Amino acid sequence: AWFAVSRLSVYYANQNRDAMSLAVRWALAHLEAPIVAGNWEAVNAASAELSQMAGIRITITQRDGTVVADTDADPHLMDNHVYRPEFEQAFMGQVGFADRYSDTLGHRRLYAAAPVMRDGRVLAAVRVSVPLSPGLTFASVLREIAM
């Protein structure tokens, strides 16, 4: 049971990573032009529409980690995100991932962030996130088997 659950946990994590990678690239494709133009009103409107369509949270930060748009919270009240693991990777020019507790929303979430690049440098980052289903975590599955 331990082996089976650990293998399923790895499989589930890989599937989530693939899905989140696709979601962040989809969001980036729709938001890149207004981000590069610095049209934050258009960024907010487009991210709200994309969030509604896909059922995901979208957060956009400038290169210094300042949150400029978020579909689930007021960006002016949010902490700087420069040291969040998914943004650290995005600011290095890669798609970044994380699975952690959200202080803003009060539950565990899966995150993926992608860089907005221009002339070989990162201008900003787009992040998507979804709630992590508590029933599918490794510990919860082991608890069910033990019971």
Side-chain angles (χ1 to χ4, degrees), residues 11-49:
Y11 174 77
Y12 176 69
N14 289 337
Q15 291 297 317
N16 281 335
R17 188 180 183 109
D18 292 345
M20 293 299 288
S21 179
L22 286 172
V24 75
R25 291 175 194 281
W26 172 76
L28 179 62
H30 289 85
L31 296 169
E32 185 171 17
I35 290 171
V36 170
N39 185 346
W40 302 119
E41 187 175 306
V43 168
N44 277 304
S47 34
E49 184 178 336

PDB file of all heavy atoms in Angstrom, residues 11-49:
ATOM      1  N   TYR A  11       2.695  10.169  -9.711  1.00  0.00           N
ATOM      2  CA  TYR A  11       1.927  10.285 -10.950  1.00  0.00           C
ATOM      3  C   TYR A  11       0.998  11.500 -10.884  1.00  0.00           C
ATOM      4  O   TYR A  11       0.933  12.300 -11.815  1.00  0.00           O
ATOM      5  CB  TYR A  11       1.120   9.009 -11.189  1.00  0.00           C
ATOM      6  CG  TYR A  11       0.195   9.103 -12.373  1.00  0.00           C
ATOM      7  CD1 TYR A  11       0.681   8.988 -13.675  1.00  0.00           C
ATOM      8  CD2 TYR A  11      -1.167   9.328 -12.197  1.00  0.00           C
ATOM      9  CE1 TYR A  11      -0.161   9.095 -14.767  1.00  0.00           C
ATOM     10  CE2 TYR A  11      -2.015   9.442 -13.280  1.00  0.00           C
ATOM     11  CZ  TYR A  11      -1.518   9.321 -14.559  1.00  0.00           C
ATOM     12  OH  TYR A  11      -2.354   9.437 -15.627  1.00  0.00           O
ATOM     13  N   TYR A  12       0.283  11.648  -9.787  1.00  0.00           N
ATOM     14  CA  TYR A  12      -0.640  12.759  -9.594  1.00  0.00           C
ATOM     15  C   TYR A  12       0.107  14.101  -9.648  1.00  0.00           C
ATOM     16  O   TYR A  12      -0.337  15.053 -10.297  1.00  0.00           O
ATOM     17  CB  TYR A  12      -1.371  12.586  -8.266  1.00  0.00           C
ATOM     18  CG  TYR A  12      -2.291  13.710  -7.894  1.00  0.00           C
ATOM     19  CD1 TYR A  12      -3.466  13.946  -8.602  1.00  0.00           C
ATOM     20  CD2 TYR A  12      -2.009  14.543  -6.809  1.00  0.00           C
ATOM     21  CE1 TYR A  12      -4.322  14.979  -8.260  1.00  0.00           C
ATOM     22  CE2 TYR A  12      -2.860  15.577  -6.456  1.00  0.00           C
ATOM     23  CZ  TYR A  12      -4.013  15.784  -7.183  1.00  0.00           C
ATOM     24  OH  TYR A  12      -4.852  16.808  -6.842  1.00  0.00           O
ATOM     25  N   ALA A  13       1.269  14.171  -9.001  1.00  0.00           N
ATOM     26  CA  ALA A  13       2.058  15.405  -9.010  1.00  0.00           C
ATOM     27  C   ALA A  13       2.510  15.756 -10.431  1.00  0.00           C
ATOM     28  O   ALA A  13       2.462  16.920 -10.837  1.00  0.00           O
ATOM     29  CB  ALA A  13       3.262  15.270  -8.083  1.00  0.00           C
ATOM     30  N   ASN A  14       2.932  14.756 -11.192  1.00  0.00           N
ATOM     31  CA  ASN A  14       3.356  14.997 -12.577  1.00  0.00           C
ATOM     32  C   ASN A  14       2.195  15.451 -13.451  1.00  0.00           C
ATOM     33  O   ASN A  14       2.347  16.339 -14.294  1.00  0.00           O
ATOM     34  CB  ASN A  14       4.013  13.755 -13.171  1.00  0.00           C
ATOM     35  CG  ASN A  14       5.379  13.482 -12.580  1.00  0.00           C
ATOM     36  OD1 ASN A  14       6.028  14.383 -12.063  1.00  0.00           O
ATOM     37  ND2 ASN A  14       5.811  12.247 -12.635  1.00  0.00           N
ATOM     38  N   GLN A  15       1.032  14.849 -13.260  1.00  0.00           N
ATOM     39  CA  GLN A  15      -0.147  15.256 -14.021  1.00  0.00           C
ATOM     40  C   GLN A  15      -0.533  16.702 -13.698  1.00  0.00           C
ATOM     41  O   GLN A  15      -0.871  17.477 -14.595  1.00  0.00           O
ATOM     42  CB  GLN A  15      -1.334  14.321 -13.725  1.00  0.00           C
ATOM     43  CG  GLN A  15      -1.154  12.919 -14.270  1.00  0.00           C
ATOM     44  CD  GLN A  15      -1.064  12.912 -15.785  1.00  0.00           C
ATOM     45  OE1 GLN A  15      -1.817  13.590 -16.461  1.00  0.00           O
ATOM     46  NE2 GLN A  15      -0.134  12.158 -16.309  1.00  0.00           N
ATOM     47  N   ASN A  16      -0.489  17.056 -12.426  1.00  0.00           N
ATOM     48  CA  ASN A  16      -0.798  18.427 -12.017  1.00  0.00           C
ATOM     49  C   ASN A  16       0.199  19.413 -12.611  1.00  0.00           C
ATOM     50  O   ASN A  16      -0.182  20.491 -13.075  1.00  0.00           O
ATOM     51  CB  ASN A  16      -0.797  18.556 -10.495  1.00  0.00           C
ATOM     52  CG  ASN A  16      -2.067  18.032  -9.881  1.00  0.00           C
ATOM     53  OD1 ASN A  16      -3.105  18.001 -10.525  1.00  0.00           O
ATOM     54  ND2 ASN A  16      -1.977  17.613  -8.642  1.00  0.00           N
ATOM     55  N   ARG A  17       1.458  19.047 -12.594  1.00  0.00           N
ATOM     56  CA  ARG A  17       2.508  19.918 -13.136  1.00  0.00           C
ATOM     57  C   ARG A  17       2.283  20.164 -14.631  1.00  0.00           C
ATOM     58  O   ARG A  17       2.389  21.293 -15.103  1.00  0.00           O
ATOM     59  CB  ARG A  17       3.869  19.291 -12.874  1.00  0.00           C
ATOM     60  CG  ARG A  17       5.020  20.177 -13.217  1.00  0.00           C
ATOM     61  CD  ARG A  17       6.330  19.441 -12.925  1.00  0.00           C
ATOM     62  NE  ARG A  17       7.437  20.287 -13.175  1.00  0.00           N
ATOM     63  CZ  ARG A  17       8.212  20.806 -12.258  1.00  0.00           C
ATOM     64  NH1 ARG A  17       7.983  20.556 -10.987  1.00  0.00           N
ATOM     65  NH2 ARG A  17       9.220  21.571 -12.589  1.00  0.00           N
ATOM     66  N   ASP A  18       1.955  19.103 -15.358  1.00  0.00           N
ATOM     67  CA  ASP A  18       1.688  19.240 -16.796  1.00  0.00           C
ATOM     68  C   ASP A  18       0.476  20.133 -17.046  1.00  0.00           C
ATOM     69  O   ASP A  18       0.501  21.010 -17.915  1.00  0.00           O
ATOM     70  CB  ASP A  18       1.475  17.870 -17.442  1.00  0.00           C
ATOM     71  CG  ASP A  18       2.734  17.023 -17.480  1.00  0.00           C
ATOM     72  OD1 ASP A  18       3.836  17.569 -17.267  1.00  0.00           O
ATOM     73  OD2 ASP A  18       2.610  15.804 -17.725  1.00  0.00           O
ATOM     74  N   ALA A  19      -0.589  19.917 -16.289  1.00  0.00           N
ATOM     75  CA  ALA A  19      -1.806  20.723 -16.458  1.00  0.00           C
ATOM     76  C   ALA A  19      -1.550  22.186 -16.102  1.00  0.00           C
ATOM     77  O   ALA A  19      -2.018  23.098 -16.804  1.00  0.00           O
ATOM     78  CB  ALA A  19      -2.936  20.161 -15.596  1.00  0.00           C
ATOM     79  N   MET A  20      -0.808  22.429 -15.045  1.00  0.00           N
ATOM     80  CA  MET A  20      -0.512  23.801 -14.639  1.00  0.00           C
ATOM     81  C   MET A  20       0.406  24.489 -15.655  1.00  0.00           C
ATOM     82  O   MET A  20       0.268  25.684 -15.912  1.00  0.00           O
ATOM     83  CB  MET A  20       0.125  23.817 -13.245  1.00  0.00           C
ATOM     84  CG  MET A  20      -0.811  23.373 -12.139  1.00  0.00           C
ATOM     85  SD  MET A  20      -2.271  24.410 -11.967  1.00  0.00           S
ATOM     86  CE  MET A  20      -1.539  25.875 -11.267  1.00  0.00           C
ATOM     87  N   SER A  21       1.322  23.743 -16.235  1.00  0.00           N
ATOM     88  CA  SER A  21       2.200  24.296 -17.263  1.00  0.00           C
ATOM     89  C   SER A  21       1.387  24.758 -18.468  1.00  0.00           C
ATOM     90  O   SER A  21       1.604  25.854 -19.004  1.00  0.00           O
ATOM     91  CB  SER A  21       3.238  23.255 -17.678  1.00  0.00           C
ATOM     92  OG  SER A  21       4.079  23.770 -18.678  1.00  0.00           O
ATOM     93  N   LEU A  22       0.436  23.939 -18.875  1.00  0.00           N
ATOM     94  CA  LEU A  22      -0.435  24.328 -19.991  1.00  0.00           C
ATOM     95  C   LEU A  22      -1.280  25.549 -19.631  1.00  0.00           C
ATOM     96  O   LEU A  22      -1.449  26.463 -20.442  1.00  0.00           O
ATOM     97  CB  LEU A  22      -1.349  23.166 -20.376  1.00  0.00           C
ATOM     98  CG  LEU A  22      -0.701  22.019 -21.124  1.00  0.00           C
ATOM     99  CD1 LEU A  22      -1.682  20.862 -21.270  1.00  0.00           C
ATOM    100  CD2 LEU A  22      -0.204  22.471 -22.483  1.00  0.00           C
ATOM    101  N   ALA A  23      -1.815  25.573 -18.420  1.00  0.00           N
ATOM    102  CA  ALA A  23      -2.668  26.685 -17.996  1.00  0.00           C
ATOM    103  C   ALA A  23      -1.905  28.004 -17.959  1.00  0.00           C
ATOM    104  O   ALA A  23      -2.412  29.036 -18.412  1.00  0.00           O
ATOM    105  CB  ALA A  23      -3.280  26.390 -16.624  1.00  0.00           C
ATOM    106  N   VAL A  24      -0.679  27.985 -17.452  1.00  0.00           N
ATOM    107  CA  VAL A  24       0.072  29.239 -17.356  1.00  0.00           C
ATOM    108  C   VAL A  24       0.507  29.712 -18.740  1.00  0.00           C
ATOM    109  O   VAL A  24       0.513  30.912 -19.031  1.00  0.00           O
ATOM    110  CB  VAL A  24       1.261  29.148 -16.374  1.00  0.00           C
ATOM    111  CG1 VAL A  24       2.432  28.369 -16.955  1.00  0.00           C
ATOM    112  CG2 VAL A  24       1.705  30.540 -15.938  1.00  0.00           C
ATOM    113  N   ARG A  25       0.828  28.785 -19.631  1.00  0.00           N
ATOM    114  CA  ARG A  25       1.191  29.187 -20.997  1.00  0.00           C
ATOM    115  C   ARG A  25      -0.031  29.752 -21.735  1.00  0.00           C
ATOM    116  O   ARG A  25       0.085  30.703 -22.506  1.00  0.00           O
ATOM    117  CB  ARG A  25       1.804  28.022 -21.747  1.00  0.00           C
ATOM    118  CG  ARG A  25       3.171  27.654 -21.208  1.00  0.00           C
ATOM    119  CD  ARG A  25       3.739  26.411 -21.888  1.00  0.00           C
ATOM    120  NE  ARG A  25       4.864  25.865 -21.184  1.00  0.00           N
ATOM    121  CZ  ARG A  25       6.108  26.328 -21.241  1.00  0.00           C
ATOM    122  NH1 ARG A  25       6.370  27.374 -21.982  1.00  0.00           N
ATOM    123  NH2 ARG A  25       7.083  25.750 -20.565  1.00  0.00           N
ATOM    124  N   TRP A  26      -1.205  29.183 -21.484  1.00  0.00           N
ATOM    125  CA  TRP A  26      -2.448  29.679 -22.075  1.00  0.00           C
ATOM    126  C   TRP A  26      -2.721  31.104 -21.584  1.00  0.00           C
ATOM    127  O   TRP A  26      -3.033  31.995 -22.367  1.00  0.00           O
ATOM    128  CB  TRP A  26      -3.590  28.724 -21.710  1.00  0.00           C
ATOM    129  CG  TRP A  26      -4.952  29.184 -22.079  1.00  0.00           C
ATOM    130  CD1 TRP A  26      -5.532  29.189 -23.321  1.00  0.00           C
ATOM    131  CD2 TRP A  26      -5.941  29.715 -21.189  1.00  0.00           C
ATOM    132  NE1 TRP A  26      -6.813  29.678 -23.245  1.00  0.00           N
ATOM    133  CE2 TRP A  26      -7.090  30.005 -21.955  1.00  0.00           C
ATOM    134  CE3 TRP A  26      -5.964  29.958 -19.818  1.00  0.00           C
ATOM    135  CZ2 TRP A  26      -8.247  30.537 -21.394  1.00  0.00           C
ATOM    136  CZ3 TRP A  26      -7.114  30.485 -19.260  1.00  0.00           C
ATOM    137  CH2 TRP A  26      -8.234  30.767 -20.050  1.00  0.00           C
ATOM    138  N   ALA A  27      -2.606  31.314 -20.275  1.00  0.00           N
ATOM    139  CA  ALA A  27      -2.836  32.648 -19.712  1.00  0.00           C
ATOM    140  C   ALA A  27      -1.810  33.638 -20.256  1.00  0.00           C
ATOM    141  O   ALA A  27      -2.165  34.772 -20.621  1.00  0.00           O
ATOM    142  CB  ALA A  27      -2.780  32.590 -18.187  1.00  0.00           C
ATOM    143  N   LEU A  28      -0.558  33.221 -20.332  1.00  0.00           N
ATOM    144  CA  LEU A  28       0.502  34.093 -20.836  1.00  0.00           C
ATOM    145  C   LEU A  28       0.229  34.519 -22.277  1.00  0.00           C
ATOM    146  O   LEU A  28       0.405  35.688 -22.632  1.00  0.00           O
ATOM    147  CB  LEU A  28       1.856  33.381 -20.735  1.00  0.00           C
ATOM    148  CG  LEU A  28       3.071  34.157 -21.247  1.00  0.00           C
ATOM    149  CD1 LEU A  28       3.274  35.422 -20.442  1.00  0.00           C
ATOM    150  CD2 LEU A  28       4.306  33.277 -21.186  1.00  0.00           C
ATOM    151  N   ALA A  29      -0.227  33.587 -23.103  1.00  0.00           N
ATOM    152  CA  ALA A  29      -0.525  33.905 -24.504  1.00  0.00           C
ATOM    153  C   ALA A  29      -1.589  34.996 -24.613  1.00  0.00           C
ATOM    154  O   ALA A  29      -1.529  35.837 -25.520  1.00  0.00           O
ATOM    155  CB  ALA A  29      -0.976  32.642 -25.238  1.00  0.00           C
ATOM    156  N   HIS A  30      -2.536  35.011 -23.699  1.00  0.00           N
ATOM    157  CA  HIS A  30      -3.605  36.011 -23.730  1.00  0.00           C
ATOM    158  C   HIS A  30      -3.239  37.332 -23.043  1.00  0.00           C
ATOM    159  O   HIS A  30      -3.845  38.363 -23.326  1.00  0.00           O
ATOM    160  CB  HIS A  30      -4.874  35.455 -23.086  1.00  0.00           C
ATOM    161  CG  HIS A  30      -5.542  34.408 -23.906  1.00  0.00           C
ATOM    162  ND1 HIS A  30      -5.178  33.087 -23.866  1.00  0.00           N
ATOM    163  CD2 HIS A  30      -6.527  34.498 -24.824  1.00  0.00           C
ATOM    164  CE1 HIS A  30      -5.928  32.401 -24.704  1.00  0.00           C
ATOM    165  NE2 HIS A  30      -6.761  33.237 -25.299  1.00  0.00           N
ATOM    166  N   LEU A  31      -2.281  37.288 -22.143  1.00  0.00           N
ATOM    167  CA  LEU A  31      -1.977  38.475 -21.342  1.00  0.00           C
ATOM    168  C   LEU A  31      -0.674  39.172 -21.719  1.00  0.00           C
ATOM    169  O   LEU A  31      -0.437  40.311 -21.295  1.00  0.00           O
ATOM    170  CB  LEU A  31      -1.913  38.093 -19.861  1.00  0.00           C
ATOM    171  CG  LEU A  31      -3.219  37.582 -19.255  1.00  0.00           C
ATOM    172  CD1 LEU A  31      -2.976  36.985 -17.878  1.00  0.00           C
ATOM    173  CD2 LEU A  31      -4.235  38.703 -19.194  1.00  0.00           C
ATOM    174  N   GLU A  32       0.156  38.530 -22.509  1.00  0.00           N
ATOM    175  CA  GLU A  32       1.487  39.067 -22.799  1.00  0.00           C
ATOM    176  C   GLU A  32       1.438  40.461 -23.443  1.00  0.00           C
ATOM    177  O   GLU A  32       2.138  41.372 -23.008  1.00  0.00           O
ATOM    178  CB  GLU A  32       2.255  38.101 -23.694  1.00  0.00           C
ATOM    179  CG  GLU A  32       3.684  38.524 -23.932  1.00  0.00           C
ATOM    180  CD  GLU A  32       4.492  37.460 -24.643  1.00  0.00           C
ATOM    181  OE1 GLU A  32       3.910  36.533 -25.241  1.00  0.00           O
ATOM    182  OE2 GLU A  32       5.729  37.573 -24.587  1.00  0.00           O
ATOM    183  N   ALA A  33       0.618  40.646 -24.462  1.00  0.00           N
ATOM    184  CA  ALA A  33       0.581  41.933 -25.169  1.00  0.00           C
ATOM    185  C   ALA A  33       0.202  43.098 -24.256  1.00  0.00           C
ATOM    186  O   ALA A  33       0.913  44.118 -24.229  1.00  0.00           O
ATOM    187  CB  ALA A  33      -0.352  41.852 -26.377  1.00  0.00           C
ATOM    188  N   PRO A  34      -0.887  43.002 -23.474  1.00  0.00           N
ATOM    189  CA  PRO A  34      -1.194  44.146 -22.597  1.00  0.00           C
ATOM    190  C   PRO A  34      -0.170  44.330 -21.474  1.00  0.00           C
ATOM    191  O   PRO A  34       0.055  45.459 -21.025  1.00  0.00           O
ATOM    192  CB  PRO A  34      -2.582  43.833 -22.045  1.00  0.00           C
ATOM    193  CG  PRO A  34      -2.825  42.401 -22.292  1.00  0.00           C
ATOM    194  CD  PRO A  34      -1.960  42.009 -23.456  1.00  0.00           C
ATOM    195  N   ILE A  35       0.489  43.259 -21.046  1.00  0.00           N
ATOM    196  CA  ILE A  35       1.527  43.395 -20.016  1.00  0.00           C
ATOM    197  C   ILE A  35       2.711  44.165 -20.585  1.00  0.00           C
ATOM    198  O   ILE A  35       3.217  45.106 -19.963  1.00  0.00           O
ATOM    199  CB  ILE A  35       1.971  42.023 -19.466  1.00  0.00           C
ATOM    200  CG1 ILE A  35       0.853  41.402 -18.630  1.00  0.00           C
ATOM    201  CG2 ILE A  35       3.252  42.170 -18.631  1.00  0.00           C
ATOM    202  CD1 ILE A  35       1.111  39.958 -18.217  1.00  0.00           C
ATOM    203  N   VAL A  36       3.160  43.769 -21.776  1.00  0.00           N
ATOM    204  CA  VAL A  36       4.294  44.442 -22.408  1.00  0.00           C
ATOM    205  C   VAL A  36       3.967  45.914 -22.662  1.00  0.00           C
ATOM    206  O   VAL A  36       4.813  46.793 -22.485  1.00  0.00           O
ATOM    207  CB  VAL A  36       4.698  43.722 -23.725  1.00  0.00           C
ATOM    208  CG1 VAL A  36       5.695  44.537 -24.518  1.00  0.00           C
ATOM    209  CG2 VAL A  36       5.272  42.345 -23.411  1.00  0.00           C
ATOM    210  N   ALA A  37       2.722  46.194 -23.030  1.00  0.00           N
ATOM    211  CA  ALA A  37       2.296  47.571 -23.272  1.00  0.00           C
ATOM    212  C   ALA A  37       2.114  48.360 -21.975  1.00  0.00           C
ATOM    213  O   ALA A  37       1.996  49.581 -21.999  1.00  0.00           O
ATOM    214  CB  ALA A  37       0.985  47.577 -24.068  1.00  0.00           C
ATOM    215  N   GLY A  38       2.089  47.664 -20.844  1.00  0.00           N
ATOM    216  CA  GLY A  38       1.880  48.332 -19.560  1.00  0.00           C
ATOM    217  C   GLY A  38       0.447  48.800 -19.369  1.00  0.00           C
ATOM    218  O   GLY A  38       0.182  49.665 -18.552  1.00  0.00           O
ATOM    219  N   ASN A  39      -0.464  48.174 -20.079  1.00  0.00           N
ATOM    220  CA  ASN A  39      -1.881  48.536 -19.994  1.00  0.00           C
ATOM    221  C   ASN A  39      -2.523  47.690 -18.892  1.00  0.00           C
ATOM    222  O   ASN A  39      -3.138  46.663 -19.148  1.00  0.00           O
ATOM    223  CB  ASN A  39      -2.554  48.298 -21.346  1.00  0.00           C
ATOM    224  CG  ASN A  39      -3.989  48.769 -21.369  1.00  0.00           C
ATOM    225  OD1 ASN A  39      -4.593  49.040 -20.334  1.00  0.00           O
ATOM    226  ND2 ASN A  39      -4.541  48.850 -22.564  1.00  0.00           N
ATOM    227  N   TRP A  40      -2.395  48.149 -17.642  1.00  0.00           N
ATOM    228  CA  TRP A  40      -2.827  47.353 -16.486  1.00  0.00           C
ATOM    229  C   TRP A  40      -4.347  47.234 -16.413  1.00  0.00           C
ATOM    230  O   TRP A  40      -4.864  46.253 -15.884  1.00  0.00           O
ATOM    231  CB  TRP A  40      -2.235  47.910 -15.194  1.00  0.00           C
ATOM    232  CG  TRP A  40      -0.744  47.932 -15.267  1.00  0.00           C
ATOM    233  CD1 TRP A  40       0.060  49.025 -15.185  1.00  0.00           C
ATOM    234  CD2 TRP A  40       0.125  46.816 -15.498  1.00  0.00           C
ATOM    235  NE1 TRP A  40       1.375  48.650 -15.352  1.00  0.00           N
ATOM    236  CE2 TRP A  40       1.438  47.304 -15.538  1.00  0.00           C
ATOM    237  CE3 TRP A  40      -0.080  45.455 -15.685  1.00  0.00           C
ATOM    238  CZ2 TRP A  40       2.552  46.494 -15.753  1.00  0.00           C
ATOM    239  CZ3 TRP A  40       1.027  44.629 -15.903  1.00  0.00           C
ATOM    240  CH2 TRP A  40       2.319  45.149 -15.934  1.00  0.00           C
ATOM    241  N   GLU A  41      -5.059  48.202 -16.961  1.00  0.00           N
ATOM    242  CA  GLU A  41      -6.517  48.100 -17.005  1.00  0.00           C
ATOM    243  C   GLU A  41      -6.930  46.929 -17.909  1.00  0.00           C
ATOM    244  O   GLU A  41      -7.791  46.120 -17.547  1.00  0.00           O
ATOM    245  CB  GLU A  41      -7.114  49.407 -17.516  1.00  0.00           C
ATOM    246  CG  GLU A  41      -8.628  49.457 -17.432  1.00  0.00           C
ATOM    247  CD  GLU A  41      -9.167  50.820 -17.827  1.00  0.00           C
ATOM    248  OE1 GLU A  41      -8.721  51.832 -17.234  1.00  0.00           O
ATOM    249  OE2 GLU A  41     -10.036  50.858 -18.713  1.00  0.00           O
ATOM    250  N   ALA A  42      -6.295  46.805 -19.063  1.00  0.00           N
ATOM    251  CA  ALA A  42      -6.574  45.695 -19.975  1.00  0.00           C
ATOM    252  C   ALA A  42      -6.113  44.366 -19.380  1.00  0.00           C
ATOM    253  O   ALA A  42      -6.773  43.335 -19.541  1.00  0.00           O
ATOM    254  CB  ALA A  42      -5.900  45.924 -21.329  1.00  0.00           C
ATOM    255  N   VAL A  43      -4.990  44.387 -18.656  1.00  0.00           N
ATOM    256  CA  VAL A  43      -4.484  43.174 -18.000  1.00  0.00           C
ATOM    257  C   VAL A  43      -5.494  42.687 -16.973  1.00  0.00           C
ATOM    258  O   VAL A  43      -5.819  41.499 -16.915  1.00  0.00           O
ATOM    259  CB  VAL A  43      -3.105  43.423 -17.338  1.00  0.00           C
ATOM    260  CG1 VAL A  43      -2.717  42.279 -16.417  1.00  0.00           C
ATOM    261  CG2 VAL A  43      -2.039  43.654 -18.387  1.00  0.00           C
ATOM    262  N   ASN A  44      -6.006  43.600 -16.154  1.00  0.00           N
ATOM    263  CA  ASN A  44      -6.991  43.229 -15.134  1.00  0.00           C
ATOM    264  C   ASN A  44      -8.267  42.683 -15.756  1.00  0.00           C
ATOM    265  O   ASN A  44      -8.809  41.673 -15.303  1.00  0.00           O
ATOM    266  CB  ASN A  44      -7.307  44.418 -14.224  1.00  0.00           C
ATOM    267  CG  ASN A  44      -6.288  44.583 -13.131  1.00  0.00           C
ATOM    268  OD1 ASN A  44      -6.039  43.666 -12.368  1.00  0.00           O
ATOM    269  ND2 ASN A  44      -5.680  45.750 -13.073  1.00  0.00           N
ATOM    270  N   ALA A  45      -8.753  43.340 -16.814  1.00  0.00           N
ATOM    271  CA  ALA A  45      -9.980  42.884 -17.468  1.00  0.00           C
ATOM    272  C   ALA A  45      -9.782  41.510 -18.110  1.00  0.00           C
ATOM    273  O   ALA A  45     -10.617  40.609 -17.947  1.00  0.00           O
ATOM    274  CB  ALA A  45     -10.418  43.897 -18.518  1.00  0.00           C
ATOM    275  N   ALA A  46      -8.666  41.329 -18.815  1.00  0.00           N
ATOM    276  CA  ALA A  46      -8.405  40.054 -19.487  1.00  0.00           C
ATOM    277  C   ALA A  46      -8.182  38.937 -18.475  1.00  0.00           C
ATOM    278  O   ALA A  46      -8.675  37.820 -18.651  1.00  0.00           O
ATOM    279  CB  ALA A  46      -7.202  40.182 -20.418  1.00  0.00           C
ATOM    280  N   SER A  47      -7.435  39.210 -17.402  1.00  0.00           N
ATOM    281  CA  SER A  47      -7.198  38.147 -16.420  1.00  0.00           C
ATOM    282  C   SER A  47      -8.474  37.761 -15.700  1.00  0.00           C
ATOM    283  O   SER A  47      -8.691  36.589 -15.410  1.00  0.00           O
ATOM    284  CB  SER A  47      -6.082  38.471 -15.426  1.00  0.00           C
ATOM    285  OG  SER A  47      -5.968  39.773 -15.093  1.00  0.00           O
ATOM    286  N   ALA A  48      -9.353  38.721 -15.432  1.00  0.00           N
ATOM    287  CA  ALA A  48     -10.635  38.394 -14.805  1.00  0.00           C
ATOM    288  C   ALA A  48     -11.462  37.491 -15.722  1.00  0.00           C
ATOM    289  O   ALA A  48     -12.073  36.523 -15.260  1.00  0.00           O
ATOM    290  CB  ALA A  48     -11.405  39.666 -14.476  1.00  0.00           C
ATOM    291  N   GLU A  49     -11.472  37.798 -17.004  1.00  0.00           N
ATOM    292  CA  GLU A  49     -12.220  36.980 -17.961  1.00  0.00           C
ATOM    293  C   GLU A  49     -11.627  35.574 -18.079  1.00  0.00           C
ATOM    294  O   GLU A  49     -12.361  34.578 -18.053  1.00  0.00           O
ATOM    295  CB  GLU A  49     -12.218  37.658 -19.328  1.00  0.00           C
ATOM    296  CG  GLU A  49     -13.050  36.934 -20.358  1.00  0.00           C
ATOM    297  CD  GLU A  49     -13.064  37.650 -21.704  1.00  0.00           C
ATOM    298  OE1 GLU A  49     -12.833  38.879 -21.737  1.00  0.00           O
ATOM    299  OE2 GLU A  49     -13.312  36.975 -22.706  1.00  0.00           O
TER     300      GLU A  49
END
